[in-house]
Amino acid sequence: MRIGVLTSGGDCPGLNAVIRSVVHRALVDHGDEVIGFRDGWKGLLECDYTKLDLDAVSGILALGGTVLGSSRVRPERLRGGVERVRGHVEELGLDAIIPIGGEGTLKAARLLSDSGLPIVGVPKTIDNDIAATDVTFGFDTAVGVATDALDRLKTTAESHQRVLIVEVMGRHTGWIALHSGMAAGAHAVLVPERPFDVEELAQRVGARFAAGKRSAIVVAAEGAEPRAGSMEFDEGGTDVYGHRRFAGVARQLAVELERRLGKEARPVILGHVQRGGTPTAYDRVLATRFGWHAVEAVHRGEFGMMTALRGTEIVTVPLAEAVSRLKTVPAERYAEAECVV
Ligand code: F6P
């Protein structure tokens, strides 16, 4: 068989582990050929690819980012490019395409699959918000980075009697905020799923200082928003891909808390540091298993499917299911993080 692989959307620790695993399983165990498209769907649209042999993937297991490069392609460009993609698939003699990506990539994968192209998707995102899989690789690494940062920020906040508002990634869901906040013992966790009341937050943080504590750490997902009317808030706009461009919840909250509490409050934005660098062992294992099972799915002819973790098993689920809804933080999980003082 001849298989094409690509990585699309925001990068994520573990992408290289999937690429390596696909190549190993396909070449060594099945005698297949693998090519990698450069910079995601763009590579497939422009027929820009490289041959992936064992040498090409040697030493990349622990490497962050993606050796194939990644990019975002506007959905309308892909919709208008389906016939072009089909032409390239035929020209290259491809039997299957394995796109590795998040919500946007999997939606595009579904579009191509619905048009009859042989696709097996692999989910990735540090946000962990794809409902069809229990976990996505990259999440464990991002939570580790955020937790390490929070541990470090706690000691400096304590020295200076400050409130630190730490903004972590998470556009629509607060999984990174929830897990890193719990792991580091943050004093408040703000998630997009549950609009916060700034007065309540100020009271909570104020009560800590009144009780003699010297600092407070608030973790806010970038998509967290105040309850309507609770404070003036700049929501930001959208980028060319229709994604929210955030105006900075941490920065805006720092101003508001400092004004209300008379305590120094500083924003800290972790940003892309959460996505960079070497994946954790957990993410390497999950990514490797996804790659292995994606090749198996190709050989079984299970097109229009995506690999997923269910419990400890890797299964395949329809791409249609994968893109149907986001996995949001449920109220009961949020409640577990609220009992901190
Ligand atoms: O979806 C993954 C993610 O890391 C989000 O958490 C974040 O909002 C977004 O990507 C950032 O994307 P970009 O790298 O394009 O700024």
Side-chain angles (χ1 to χ4, degrees), residues 3-203:
I3 300 172
V5 61
L6 60 89
T7 53
S8 173
D11 71 350
C12 172
L15 287 171
N16 285 325
V18 183
I19 297 168
R20 171 183 173 273
S21 175
V22 165
V23 171
H24 278 198
R25 183 68 181 156
L27 266 68
V28 178
D29 300 321
H30 290 290
D32 297 335
E33 245 186 280
V34 180
I35 61 169
F37 291 99
R38 294 195 183 90
D39 300 329
W41 296 118
K42 192 166 159 275
L44 189 55
L45 283 162
E46 294 173 4
C47 209
D48 182 11
Y49 65 92
T50 179
K51 191 173 170 213
L52 292 177
D53 56 17
L54 294 177
D55 279 348
V57 297
S58 171
I60 68 169
L61 173 61
L63 208 62
T66 160
V67 292
L68 289 176
S70 189
S71 66
R72 291 202 162 97
V73 169
R74 291 193 202 203
E76 56 273 19
R77 185 168 173 221
L78 204 62
R79 270 196 297 273
V82 173
E83 286 317 309
R84 209 153 135 210
V85 168
R86 193 190 311 283
H88 293 154
V89 168
E90 280 166 15
E91 195 182 312
L92 295 168
L94 287 180
D95 299 293
I97 304 164
I98 301 180
I100 312 163
E103 194 202 348
T105 305
L106 296 170
K107 278 191 177 140
R110 189 189 171 193
L111 172 90
L112 294 179
S113 167
D114 285 351
S115 82
L117 288 163
I119 310 255
V120 172
V122 172
K124 70 89 217 178
T125 166
I126 63 164
D127 295 350
N128 197 33
D129 59 2
I130 296 174
T133 178
D134 288 355
V135 187
T136 46
F137 64 84
F139 175 62
D140 188 62
T141 306
V143 169
V145 171
T147 304
D148 181 52
L150 289 169
D151 288 345
R152 288 168 190 278
L153 291 166
K154 258 186 155 174
T155 62
T156 169
E158 192 73 6
S159 309
H160 293 274
Q161 299 195 47
R162 282 177 178 152
V163 182
L164 292 183
I165 301 104
V166 187
E167 188 172 310
V168 297
M169 280 187 167
R171 267 190 209 134
H172 310 292
T173 64
W175 289 106
I176 298 176
L178 182 81
H179 279 230
S180 63
M182 282 185 93
H187 308 111
V189 174
L190 310 178
V191 298
E193 292 87 338
R194 186 178 155 129
F196 60 86
D197 184 303
V198 74
E199 183 52 38
E200 239 173 66
L201 179 67
Q203 274 176 19

Side-chain angles (χ1 to χ4, degrees), residues 260-282:
R260 288 172 188 250
L261 297 169
K263 288 275 171 201
E264 210 182 341
R266 297 277 184 94
V268 178
I269 299 164
L270 293 190
H272 292 85
V273 73
Q274 294 158 93
R275 269 189 5 208
T278 187
T280 58
Y282 179 90

